[in-house]
Amino acid sequence: LMESHVEAEKLKTLKEMIITYNHHMNQPLTGAYMSINMFLKDFKGEGTQRELLEILKKEIDRISSILKKIRAIEDVREVDYVGGTQMIDLDDKGK
């Protein structure tokens, strides 16, 4: 009984941390995404410069997708990471 209470408290704390991190990371990420979209809309250049801007936009989308996965965590599944440490599994195939 005590063990399940401790686990429930750990999960509650984890979810609160996730919400906090998500909130604080999404604000600047949204600003960066809007700025890159506005810049691309008006950008007249071609070639490498445009490609680099498109890569930047794609990477911002990727970060946003990771944050959405973190926000959607319902239960904690750990996977092995480096040096014997564990990390939370965000891979949808693990469900």
Side-chain angles (χ1 to χ4, degrees):
L1 182 64
M2 182 68 154
E3 206 171 290
S4 64
H5 178 70
V6 170
E7 286 302 314
E9 283 298 313
K10 284 168 108 177
L11 187 57
K12 179 182 178 281
T13 300
L14 176 64
K15 286 184 178 188
E16 289 170 352
M17 286 175 50
I18 288 170
I19 291 167
T20 301
Y21 292 154
N22 234 289
H23 172 76
H24 288 286
M25 293 175 78
N26 270 316
Q27 287 180 334
L29 190 62
T30 299
Y33 188 79
M34 288 173 43
S35 296
I36 196 75
N37 277 332
M38 288 172 35
F39 190 78
L40 275 168
K41 184 179 134 191
D42 295 335
F43 186 69
K44 306 295 183 216
E46 300 278 331
T48 304
Q49 289 179 330
R50 178 164 288 279
E51 289 173 19
L52 290 173
L53 289 169
E54 291 291 346
I55 289 169
L56 181 58
K57 181 180 174 185
K58 181 180 173 185
E59 294 303 317
I60 290 171
D61 283 338
R62 194 167 146 226
I63 294 168
S64 181
S65 175
I66 292 167
L67 288 173
K68 286 176 186 170
K69 284 182 179 183
I70 291 170
R71 188 174 51 233
I73 291 174
E74 288 295 322
D75 64 329
V76 178
R77 291 181 316 278
E78 295 177 341
V79 293
D80 291 333
Y81 189 57
V82 181
T85 59
Q86 300 281 303
M87 70 179 206
I88 296 172
D89 184 10
L90 297 179
D91 189 356
D92 292 337
K93 293 180 278 188
K95 289 184 178 181

